[in-house]
């Protein structure tokens, strides 16, 4: 089984498997990918080739095709903290059991960690189909700044765009929060707000 770790993001795939990549423990990070089988309750170490740098405080999202995209977070290079690039995202191909790099075009969000992501679904009433088309991320932090911005990845074109949202909670910024999609709503809960007069 994996060693103790935190600040990792888990993603489910293939009807009952959970991929758990990297994470940090006592300042040590390793780029191991573990698969937890929820049916047999067993762990296995994946030997997927081409693994990205070890990382933590990133966010993993299972795409409509079952592959898993890893966004943001930190890594260490020669003991120096570095943020993961936002335009070259690691993708775990769950079918071929290999890692790939996805380039994402468009205006780039600032580097960040400690944020959640959801995969949004669009219901097309006229065609009566559910299509899953966008990844939405909100907030996070980097270099001592906490963000309250919302960014969208178009998963058809792999393109970033800025979501110009209006928020009744003025100047809300959050890190370490969660996000859950319920119908057309992305519910954001918990976390810490450093720019707000009180912690939320
Ligand atoms: C890992 O976590 C368990 C449960 O908290 C703890 O008992 C154990 O000592 C930890 N292992 C290390 C190496 O810290
Ligand atoms: C993604 O981009 C394609 C091509 O520009 C566009 O047709 C599609 O509507 C976009 N999807 C979303 C959800 O914005
Ligand atoms: C966001 O929307 C507001 C209100 O519509 C507008 O005034 C502002 O210029 C927009 N900002 C960006 C960066 O598009």
């Amino acid at each position: 089984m994996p060693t103790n770790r935190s600040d990792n993001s888990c993603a489910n795939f293939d009807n009952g498997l959970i991929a758990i990549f990297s994470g940090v423990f006592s300042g040590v990070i390793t780029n191991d990918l573990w698969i937890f089988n929820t049916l047999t309750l067993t762990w296995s170490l994946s030997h997927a080739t081409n693994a990205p740098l070890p990382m933590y405080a990133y966010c993993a999202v299972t795409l409509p095709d079952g592959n898993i995209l890893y966004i943001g977070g930190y890594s260490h290079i020669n003991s120096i903290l570095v943020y993961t690039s936002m335009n070259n995202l690691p993708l775990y191909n769950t079918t071929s059991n290999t890692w790939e790099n996805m380039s994402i075009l468009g205006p780039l969000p600032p580097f960040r960690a400690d944020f959640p992501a959801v995969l949004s679904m669009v219901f097309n009433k006229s065609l009566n189909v559910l299509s899953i088309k966008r990844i939405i991320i909100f907030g996070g932090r980097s270099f001592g700044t906490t963000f309250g911005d919302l960014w969208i990845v178009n998963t058809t074109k792999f393109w970033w765009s800025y979501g110009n949202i209006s928020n009744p909670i003025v100047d809300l910024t959050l890190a370490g929060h969660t996000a859950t999609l319920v119908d057309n709503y992305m519910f954001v809960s918990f976390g810490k707000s450093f720019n707000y007069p009180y912690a939320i």
Side-chain angles (χ1 to χ4, degrees):
M1 62 178 68
T3 51
N4 294 359
R5 58 193 64 202
S6 69
D7 291 64
N8 47 356
S9 168
C10 307
N12 65 309
F13 68 102
D14 210 10
N15 276 328
L17 303 180
I18 301 175
I20 298 175
F21 181 65
S22 205
V24 65
F25 183 67
S26 291
V28 175
I29 53 174
T30 45
N31 64 346
D32 50 355
L33 174 68
W34 287 86
I35 309 296
F36 184 66
N37 185 321
T38 63
L39 306 175
T40 57
L41 301 182
T42 49
W43 289 104
S44 59
L45 178 62
S46 159
H47 297 285
T49 51
N50 215 11
L53 288 174
M55 56 170 151
Y56 62 100
Y58 61 85
C59 195
V61 189
T62 308
L63 298 176
D65 62 8
N67 296 327
I68 304 170
L69 191 67
Y70 289 79
I71 309 173
Y74 309 103
S75 190
H76 294 173
I77 299 179
N78 301 325
S79 306
I80 295 170
L81 194 71
V82 287
Y83 286 88
T84 311
S85 142
M86 296 299 274
N87 63 354
N88 203 357
L89 306 183
L91 178 100
Y92 173 54
N93 185 319
T94 56
T95 310
S96 63
N97 191 34
T98 52
W99 287 93
E100 297 164 16
N101 273 320
M102 290 302 303
S103 10
I104 306 216
L105 303 172
L108 282 187
F111 299 128
R112 66 193 58 209
D114 296 320
F115 62 90
V118 296
L119 191 65
S120 81
M121 291 171 259
V122 177
F123 186 69
N124 186 323
K125 285 200 176 101
S126 55
L127 295 176
N128 202 29
V129 290
L130 190 64
S131 50
I132 308 173
K133 291 206 168 128
R134 303 190 299 174
I135 296 168
I136 303 173
I137 69 167
F138 175 70
R141 63 193 174 104
S142 63
F143 303 113
T145 301
T146 316
F147 297 114
D149 53 351
L150 185 144
W151 290 84
I152 299 159
V153 180
N154 176 326
T155 60
T156 313
K157 289 282 165 187
F158 280 93
W159 186 274
W160 280 110
S161 59
Y162 173 69
N164 190 4
I165 52 170
S166 72
N167 190 337
I169 308 177
V170 176
D171 296 333
L172 174 68
T173 65
L174 276 181
H177 48 302
T178 67
T180 308
L181 195 75
V182 181
D183 297 330
N184 289 332
Y185 298 90
M186 174 179 170
F187 281 86
V188 172
S189 328
F190 312 112
K192 291 184 225 170
S193 179
F194 298 96
N195 300 11
Y196 216 62
Y198 50 87
I200 296 180

